[in-house]
């Protein structure tokens, strides 16, 4: 049921929907959107980097439209729906007279504005956070089995949107610990877990690859105050733009006068403190803290309704924010207006440049899970991202895209080569080279496991390597070479070396299909001092070393 709205707010939301639809149509995809579009071409209960909600949104959008609108249509709908749910969350009787101020407040928030048409995991995350708070507000007023069912389904939808949803649920629970004795609260948890079971099973089937990567395998770097902690505070300002002093003042002035306001405060402060602490370990991205926009919008609007000075300045500064954002949104389409070359500029040009030279030939991009789906989206041709030891794992690591380019003539594009059969100029000025390969063959799905634990570097200990071949064919040993990468304590690859291997079965000439082959080796001495980790890698047919093993801690 659509809530009753002041006419002016209704007209503004209709205009917002029309604006976002037009923006979606005329704006080329950004790289992350192309990557999530790639997700949606093979629907699953999970993907390497994220849960599947963003892929479902794109799949639903593609039912109604082609092209960019076929990626973004559901984002346009959820954007307006988020405004509507936020309006319902505000009970102040004065609100009916301030529909314009409400719209200006929310629309001026930078990432809420951007995610009104961009399709990213945060788009459904924002909507389901607002919906979760709405149901929670009604649940604490009058718990019931029906509300518990709805709350459980929305919690699952939150978790299907983004793993950060656990923070929303956790801090809300901490604000009302008495819920642990509420039978309906337990019912909502049971419903959420039941709805989330398919993703749990997907994680199990894929060896918890997403969890392992985000928690253990992801590279980091040494702490830098300016980029990590100071950068975190810059992100807090960027989240709200010019209105930030008044938004944060509203947070400071809001008191926990009831259980729902207490939840808003716990959620906001909880996320702020969590990522502040995290900033001493890694760089915090702005979208990681975007969820505070939802409770802050509620608290800021309630505050301005009771404070004339805040009302005046949030409105004025909000309009200035909107003017800047609208100017930048035009620049996303019309490149000369944008201060820098952005991801929405020139994608059809560089894709068309390649396509005009190679036709429908498959393209393999070295170390680019961003360029590969972008090319596939605008060209309609098969692509693959060949990830090597100097890069990171991604969806191309675990899906079947490798099989679609095997034993074909392909164009291999790399920014690391100094020459090639064709030269390609990216919109940002980067030069890439493409080389033809007549019979491309890669074995990036070979998996390496070191049997021993508690391994030290300066030792002559003979170690055992297990190599699992998931392919349907045997792989001749003559086609592969083993290597080792030494990493620092931040899991950055610092040095690579060839690694002599001896098959335990001296007569082995192949790595058998669907089977594990064992080798022995000794750790070579690196040039770097005190490596923190090592990783076993395989190079096939002269390609650069792949990502075949996990990071292994050196004692």
């Amino acid at each position: 049921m659509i809530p009753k709205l002041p006419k002016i707010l209704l007209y503004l939301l209709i205009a917002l929907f029309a604006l976002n639809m037009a923006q979606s149509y005329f704006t080329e995809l950004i790289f992350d959107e192309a990557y999530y579009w790639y997700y949606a071409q093979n629907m699953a209960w999970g993907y390497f980097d994220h849960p599947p909600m963003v892929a479902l949104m794109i799949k639903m959008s593609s039912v109604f439209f082609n092209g960019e609108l076929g990626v973004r249509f559901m984002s346009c709908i959820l954007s307006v729906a988020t405004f509507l749910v936020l309006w319902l969350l505000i009970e102040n009787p004065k609100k009916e007279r301030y529909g314009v101020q409400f719209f200006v407040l929310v629309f001026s928030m930078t990432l809420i504005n951007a995610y009104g048409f961009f399709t990213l995991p945060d788009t459904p995350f924002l909507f389901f956070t607002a919906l979760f708070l709405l149901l929670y507000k009604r649940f604490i007023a009058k718990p019931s089995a029906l509300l518990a069912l709805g709350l459980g389904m929305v919690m699952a939808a939150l978790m299907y949107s983004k793993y950060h949803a656990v923070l929303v649920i956790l801090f809300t629970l901490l604000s009302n610990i008495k819920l642990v004795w509420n039978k309906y609260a337990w019912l909502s948890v049971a419903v959420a877990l039941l709805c989330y079971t398919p993703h749990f099973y997907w994680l199990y089937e894929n060896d918890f690859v997403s969890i392992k990567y985000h928690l253990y395998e992801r590279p980091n770097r040494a702490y830098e105050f300016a980029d990590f902690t100071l950068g975190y505070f810059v992100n807090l300002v960027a989240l709200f733009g010019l209105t930030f002093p008044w938004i944060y003042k509203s947070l400071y002035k809001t008191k926990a006068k009831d259980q729902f306001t207490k939840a808003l405060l716990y959620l906001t402060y909880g996320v702020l403190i969590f990522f502040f602490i995290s900033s001493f370990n890694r760089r915090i991205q702005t979208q990681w803290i975007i969820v505070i926009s939802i409770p802050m919008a509620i608290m800021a609007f309630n505050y301005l309704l009771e404070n004339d000075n805040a009302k005046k300045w949030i409105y004025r500064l909000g309009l200035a924010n909107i003017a800047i954002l609208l100017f930048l949104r035009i620049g996303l389409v019309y490149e000369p207006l944008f201060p820098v070359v952005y991801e929405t500029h020139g994608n059809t040009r560089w894709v068309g440049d390649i396509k005009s030279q190679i036709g429908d030939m498959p393209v393999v991009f070295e170390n680019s899970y961003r360029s590969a789906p972008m090319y596939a989206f605008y060209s309609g041709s098969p692509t693959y991202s060949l990830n090597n030891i100097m890069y990171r794992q991604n969806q191309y690591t675990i899906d079947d895209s490798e099989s679609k380019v095997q034993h074909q003539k392909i164009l291999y594009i790399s920014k690391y080569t100094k020459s090639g059969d064709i030269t390609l100029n990216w919109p940002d000025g980067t030069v890439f080279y493409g080389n033809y390969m007549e019979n491309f063959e890669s074995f990036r799905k070979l998996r390496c496991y070191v049997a021993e634990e508690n391994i030290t570097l300066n030792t002559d200990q003979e170690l055992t390597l297990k190599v699992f071949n998931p392919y349907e064919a045997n792989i001749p040993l003559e086609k592969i070479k083993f290597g080792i990468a030494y990493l620092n304590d931040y899991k950055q690859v610092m040095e690579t070396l060839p690694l002599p291997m001896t098959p335990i079965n001296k007569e082995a000439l192949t790595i058998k299909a669907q089977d594990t082959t064992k080798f022995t080796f000794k750790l070579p001495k690196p040039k770097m001092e005190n490596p923190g980790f090592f990783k076993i890698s395989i190079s096939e047919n002269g390609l650069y070393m792949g990502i075949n093993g996990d990071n292994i801690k050196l004692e």
Side-chain angles (χ1 to χ4, degrees):
M1 180 179 177
I2 298 176
K4 184 178 179 181
L5 300 171
K7 282 188 178 181
I8 185 63
L9 180 57
L10 177 61
Y11 296 149
L12 285 170
L13 292 180
I14 292 172
L16 173 64
F17 180 73
L19 170 66
N20 287 337
M21 288 287 285
Q23 184 90 51
S24 299
Y25 179 81
F26 289 107
T27 307
E28 294 181 15
L29 297 188
I30 62 174
F31 286 107
D32 279 352
E33 288 182 296
Y35 186 46
Y36 303 137
W37 166 84
Y38 173 68
Y39 280 8
Q41 304 316 295
N42 292 283
M43 290 300 297
W45 285 104
Y47 299 91
F48 182 89
D49 313 76
H50 293 288
M53 184 63 74
V54 67
L56 177 61
M57 287 177 57
I58 294 171
K59 197 69 174 179
M60 293 171 66
S61 298
S62 68
V63 172
F64 301 97
F65 297 99
N66 297 317
E68 288 87 354
L69 262 179
V71 173
R72 295 171 172 154
F73 177 59
M74 287 304 300
S75 293
C76 298
I77 292 177
L78 289 189
S79 173
V80 173
T82 301
F83 276 72
L84 292 172
V85 175
L86 282 172
W87 182 257
L88 284 174
L89 279 163
I90 297 160
E91 292 187 344
N92 194 310
K94 297 180 182 179
K95 76 175 185 179
E96 300 295 331
R97 291 182 286 134
Y98 296 101
V100 174
Q101 285 80 356
F102 168 80
F103 180 85
V104 168
L105 168 68
V106 181
F107 190 57
S108 69
M109 294 181 176
T110 53
L111 291 189
I112 287 185
N113 190 304
Y115 295 154
F117 62 97
F118 283 142
T119 296
L120 302 165
D122 303 277
T123 309
F125 185 42
L126 287 171
F127 169 73
F128 286 115
T129 297
L131 188 58
F132 168 77
L133 290 173
L134 179 63
L135 291 179
Y136 174 72
K137 185 176 186 178
R138 295 179 176 178
F139 180 86
I140 56 178
K142 189 176 181 181
S144 68
L146 185 61
L147 278 173
L149 177 64
L151 200 57
M153 294 173 67
V154 171
M155 282 193 289
L158 261 175
M159 289 297 297
Y160 274 121
S161 300
K162 201 169 182 180
Y163 292 126
H164 288 162
V166 70
L167 298 177
V168 177
I169 298 168
L170 174 63
F171 291 128
T172 303
L173 173 62
L174 290 176
S175 75
N176 189 5
I177 204 67
K178 291 181 180 180
L179 287 175
V180 298
W181 291 282
N182 187 309
K183 64 180 180 180
Y184 293 119
W186 282 107
L187 175 60
S188 68
V189 171
V191 170
L193 291 174
L194 180 63
C195 292
Y196 208 60
T197 297
H199 185 65
F200 284 134
Y201 184 72
W202 180 90
L203 286 170
Y204 170 77
E205 285 282 285
N206 288 273
D207 195 28
F208 297 95
V209 64
S210 305
I211 306 300
K212 287 167 63 177
Y213 174 75
H214 288 300
L215 295 184
Y216 306 114
E217 298 290 317
R218 194 168 191 160
N220 199 3
R221 54 190 170 89
Y223 176 74
E224 297 176 19
F225 173 76
D227 199 25
F228 283 40
T229 304
L230 182 60
Y232 166 69
F233 286 104
V234 171
N235 287 338
L236 292 181
V237 173
L239 201 58
F240 301 112
L242 298 174
T243 60
F244 84 91
W246 295 96
I247 301 291
Y248 288 111
K249 185 177 181 180
S250 72
L251 173 63
Y252 173 73
K253 291 290 187 178
T254 300
K255 306 301 178 186
K257 61 182 182 295
D258 55 57
Q259 197 63 58
F260 179 68
T261 307
K262 185 179 178 182
L264 298 180
L265 290 169
Y266 266 65
L267 173 55
T268 305
Y269 281 117
V271 170
L272 291 175
I273 293 169
F274 177 86
F275 284 111
F276 172 68
I277 295 171
S278 299
S279 75
F280 291 96
N281 175 258
R282 64 180 62 248
R283 184 177 181 273
I284 304 302
Q285 298 179 27
T286 313
Q287 66 267 26
W288 293 357
I289 54 176
I290 189 179
V291 69
I292 70 169
S293 300
I294 298 301
M296 293 282 266
I298 300 167
M299 290 185 286
F301 188 62
N302 279 322
Y303 177 65
L304 74 81
L305 287 176
E306 305 299 333
N307 188 297
D308 289 338
N309 202 34
K311 188 184 305 166
K312 177 179 67 176
W313 282 105
I314 288 177
Y315 183 69
R316 289 176 177 177
L317 295 173
L319 287 175
N321 262 357
I322 291 171
I324 295 169
L325 292 170
L326 289 177
F327 177 81
L328 293 174
R329 284 176 64 150
I330 296 171
L332 293 176
V333 180
Y334 184 61
E335 188 174 337
L337 286 182
F338 211 77
V340 296
V341 176
Y342 189 60
E343 296 178 21
T344 60
H345 301 145
N347 292 311
T348 54
R349 290 199 301 271
W350 71 259
V351 170
D353 182 28
I354 298 173
K355 181 82 171 178
S356 66
Q357 298 181 66
I358 69 169
D360 294 327
M361 183 186 299
V363 180
V364 175
F365 291 84
E366 183 180 40
N367 290 353
S368 188
Y369 72 91
R370 293 156 58 87
S371 296
M374 187 70 80
Y375 185 84
F377 179 83
Y378 284 112
S379 72
S381 300
T383 60
Y384 176 57
S385 174
L386 187 83
N387 308 314
N388 67 39
I389 197 72
M390 305 305 294
Y391 197 50
R392 55 155 285 193
Q393 298 181 73
N394 47 64
Q395 183 62 23
Y396 289 93
T397 306
I398 62 174
D399 64 18
D400 66 346
S401 54
E402 183 187 47
S403 65
K404 297 175 182 177
V405 297
Q406 294 296 293
H407 303 292
Q408 298 185 56
K409 182 178 180 180
I410 61 100
L411 181 71
Y412 187 83
I413 297 178
S414 172
K415 65 179 178 181
Y416 305 105
T417 56
K418 302 300 182 183
S419 62
D421 298 317
I422 64 174
T423 302
L424 307 164
N425 296 296
W426 252 239
D428 64 0
T430 306
V431 177
F432 290 79
Y433 295 97
N435 287 282
Y436 296 112
M437 292 187 179
E438 292 294 334
N439 183 22
F440 179 78
E441 184 180 46
S442 61
F443 307 125
R444 292 291 140 125
K445 291 187 179 298
L446 288 174
R447 294 298 298 162
C448 297
Y449 305 93
V450 176
E452 290 78 12
E453 298 179 354
N454 303 319
I455 299 170
T456 57
L457 179 60
N458 299 314
T459 177
D460 288 330
Q461 178 185 7
E462 193 171 73
L463 303 174
T464 303
L465 179 71
K466 300 176 183 178
V467 180
F468 175 67
N469 175 9
Y471 298 100
E472 299 296 332
N474 296 342
I475 298 175
L477 290 178
E478 64 185 21
K479 289 188 175 184
I480 65 173
K481 292 181 180 179
F482 290 92
I484 187 169
Y486 286 108
L487 297 80
N488 61 18
D489 290 331
Y490 301 102
K491 299 172 185 173
Q492 297 170 319
V493 174
M494 304 301 293
E495 185 177 350
T496 59
L497 295 168
L499 185 64
M501 285 284 177
T502 304
I504 289 180
N505 177 3
K506 305 294 184 182
E507 298 179 358
L509 298 176
T510 65
I511 301 177
K512 291 184 178 180
Q514 300 286 313
D515 200 359
T516 299
T517 303
K518 295 182 179 180
F519 300 82
T520 60
F521 71 99
K522 293 181 180 180
L523 290 178
K525 186 174 180 58
K527 293 180 181 178
M528 69 176 292
E529 294 184 4
N530 303 317
F533 299 85
F534 75 93
K535 180 183 292 188
I536 304 299
S537 180
I538 295 174
S539 167
E540 68 275 42
N541 298 312
L543 297 170
Y544 197 72
M545 297 162 56
I547 308 173
N548 304 99
D550 295 333
N551 297 328
I552 300 172
K553 179 70 176 173
L554 283 165
E555 301 296 330

